[in-house]
Amino acid sequence: MPDEVTIHRGLDGVVVDSTRISKVMPEINSLVYFGYPVQELAEECNFEEVAWLLWHGELPTAQQLAGFLAEGRSRRFLSKELIEVIQKTPRTAHPMDVLRTGVSFLGMEDPAPHKEDAAANLDRSISLMAKIPIMLGTFYRVRKGLDIIPPRSDLSFAQNFFHICLGQVPPPEVIRAFEVSLILYAEHGFNASTFTARVAVSTLSDIYSGVTAAIASLKGPLHGGANEAVMHMLLEIGEPDRARDWMLAALAAKRKIMGFGHRVYKKGDSRCPTMLKYARQMAQLTGQAKWLEICRILSETMLKEKGIYPNLDFYSGPAYYLMGIDIDMFTPIFVMARITGWTAHIMEQLADNCLIRPLSHYTGPAEHRVVPLTQRNRR
Ligand code: COA
């Protein structure tokens, strides 16, 4: 290793590999999944169609979709043992930790998790997509001391999630806004959690390990955890007339403001206009305008002071809150969506695998001899 090295901290700007799945184009504020603009997918498709797209590289025909829906819906159940694990989980646990443990448990239930052919991994991806919401809904009910609600196979992915949590399906406008958020969250290139998944399976570890690692990575507030942090911030601010001063004080204190900034997008997040549109619909539906008014003042102040734009989490957070969802379920909902992108990347990685193993630049002490234990002076 030469003495002079160029270090790319955080892999900033480094192109690690190629992918066919999605392309982020920050210069034109655009994101495509297999060539389809995400905004169009959000407006025209349901979440299940987008899952199919990410796994097959093309949108399904009506016949393919019908088969896929039936398959996915038939897997909306958990084993008795996994339900017991969830029932024994501390009620104070974060649902992200429940998912991390639950996916790991699913791996132990798979009799041959190392059977790495593409068909087996696609089959597991369908199961993971079907079961992750059930784990969440089960924990949601258990921690509130409520009876677990069995899933319904006549409901869509989005409808069923509300059904198993709340025992009812909200109006179509809410389901649509929720589904749009899932589509926008489904895939985003080599983001931290997707890259984590690819690193894990590049060692030929199994798909469950890759997804478990990805969940751990997504949990942090610099990544998926930001959508929860945004809502806590909005609640802390409380009223629109406090927003500008709050932001100025936070910036003066050099605080990182959740829901702003992005490693790739420096001139705005391509997904924000669509999410904002649907968040506004939720505000109208509930008659609660103030959260998006606070958002407006925060984003205007941030842009003026630092030139930094909001990201998707800035609008999905309040949108979920207006849908009546508990705040600590926001990042787990991100998992419900991103499981499609993660598993697509895992399958792509394994189809042409190369161990991911970068180098580091050593800055520790120069080489020196080991002093035997008996001769070491106390430090
Ligand atoms: N609030 C305040 N300042 C921010 C900021 C934020 N959310 N995001 C970036 N900045 C500032 C940094 O302080 C830094 O300023 P400096 O050059 O004066 O030190 C500059 O912008 C570059 O930021 P940096 O953290 O180096 O950019 P990055 O590409 O490494 O980070 C994020 C990207 C997402 C980690 C970062 O913007 C962030 O922490 N955002 C908040 C968390 C969040 O919303 N995450 C979800 C991402 S989708």
Side-chain angles (χ1 to χ4, degrees):
M1 181 115 176
D3 284 346
E4 288 297 313
V5 288
T6 306
I7 296 174
H8 300 275
R9 290 199 72 216
L11 297 180
D12 194 355
V14 175
V15 178
V16 181
D17 207 338
S18 41
T19 179
R20 299 185 67 240
I21 302 167
S22 68
K23 184 176 182 189
V24 185
M25 291 167 278
E27 61 288 351
I28 54 166
N29 271 6
S30 172
L31 166 67
V32 294
Y33 299 170
F34 282 100
Y36 291 106
V38 72
Q39 299 84 352
E40 264 182 57
L41 292 169
E43 297 290 357
E44 301 292 332
C45 299
N46 60 44
F47 178 60
E48 290 94 329
E49 286 174 79
V50 174
W52 172 282
L53 168 68
L54 293 174
W55 291 335
H56 296 273
E58 191 43 273
L59 285 166
T61 63
Q63 199 188 0
Q64 286 168 330
L65 183 64
F68 178 56
L69 292 182
E71 190 60 53
R73 289 172 188 198
S74 74
R75 299 186 194 199
R76 286 179 183 167
F77 63 89
L78 305 179
S79 67
K80 182 169 77 38
E81 290 76 16
L82 181 46
I83 293 173
E84 279 169 17
V85 168
I86 295 173
Q87 282 170 327
K88 286 179 184 153
T89 299
R91 290 179 182 199
T92 52
H94 194 288
M96 281 298 273
D97 297 343
V98 176
L99 289 186
R100 201 185 51 220
T101 299
V103 170
S104 192
F105 195 89
L106 286 179
M108 292 187 282
E109 289 188 318
D110 188 328
H114 284 285
K115 192 167 168 276
E116 286 301 353
D117 61 276
N121 275 337
L122 179 58
D123 193 71
R124 292 179 184 124
S125 303
I126 297 169
S127 284
L128 283 164
M129 177 178 159
K131 292 181 195 300
I132 282 172
I134 311 298
M135 286 184 217
L136 264 181
T138 303
F139 181 62
Y140 179 91
R141 302 288 297 179
V142 165
R143 75 173 175 183
K144 290 179 191 285
L146 300 168
D147 289 341
I148 297 169
I149 300 176
R152 276 174 47 188
S153 58
D154 59 323
L155 297 178
S156 73
F157 183 87
Q159 289 171 323
N160 188 59
F161 177 65
F162 284 93
H163 160 72
I164 57 173
C165 289
L166 306 174
Q168 58 190 30
V169 177
E173 302 92 300
V174 175
I175 293 296
R176 187 84 270 275
F178 187 72
E179 192 144 32
V180 163
S181 80
L182 297 179
I183 293 170
L184 297 176
Y185 266 140
E187 163 58 13
H188 210 214
F190 276 31
N191 59 86
S193 57
T194 299
F195 189 59
T196 301
R198 289 189 79 128
V199 170
V201 301
S202 81
T203 67
L204 299 186
S205 187
D206 61 85
I207 189 169
Y208 304 97
S209 304
V211 172
T212 305
I215 293 171
S217 170
L218 188 76
K219 187 183 172 193
L222 296 191
H223 192 7
N227 59 7
E228 294 178 19
V230 164
M231 199 58 227
H232 289 299
M233 174 182 77
L234 297 181
L235 289 167
E236 182 191 323
I237 296 169
E239 295 299 331
D241 61 7
R242 284 172 35 91
R244 188 169 173 276
D245 287 349
W246 185 95
M247 177 61 104
L248 293 176
L251 290 178
K254 303 244 170 285
R255 274 176 72 174
K256 271 272 166 84
I257 318 299
M258 293 296 127
F260 283 94
H262 198 274
R263 172 58 66 79
V264 182
Y265 297 116
K266 298 299 179 194
K267 291 186 180 150
D269 184 326
S270 60
R271 304 161 296 178
C272 275
T274 310
M275 195 65 248
L276 175 57
K277 171 182 157 188
Y278 284 90
R280 280 193 181 126
Q281 287 182 10
M282 293 303 96
Q284 230 165 15
L285 194 73
T286 54
Q288 290 191 58
K290 77 171 179 179
W291 304 113
L292 290 181
E293 182 56 10
I294 296 175
C295 287
R296 186 187 63 76
I297 296 165
L298 291 180
S299 64
E300 282 178 10
T301 312
M302 181 61 128
L303 195 60
K304 189 158 170 250
E305 297 296 319
K306 299 265 291 181
I308 298 175
Y309 290 81
N311 56 53
L312 175 58
D313 298 317
F314 191 63
Y315 297 117
S316 65
Y320 292 150
Y321 186 78
L322 290 166
M323 291 174 200
I325 298 171
D326 288 359
I327 295 176
D328 65 359
M329 300 286 274
F330 294 1
T331 315
I333 290 168
F334 193 157
V335 175
M336 278 169 51
R338 189 58 63 85
I339 185 65
T340 55
W342 287 336
T343 47
H345 277 273
I346 288 171
M347 290 186 275
E348 185 178 61
Q349 176 71 32
L350 291 173
D352 183 20
N353 190 47
C354 171
L355 176 72
I356 301 172
R357 202 299 187 191
L359 296 174
S360 54
H361 177 56
Y362 178 67
T363 56
E367 186 173 323
H368 53 299
R369 313 279 13 121
V370 174
V371 178
L373 183 60
T374 51
Q375 294 168 28
R376 268 177 241 159
N377 293 329
R378 237 192 220 164
R379 278 190 284 263

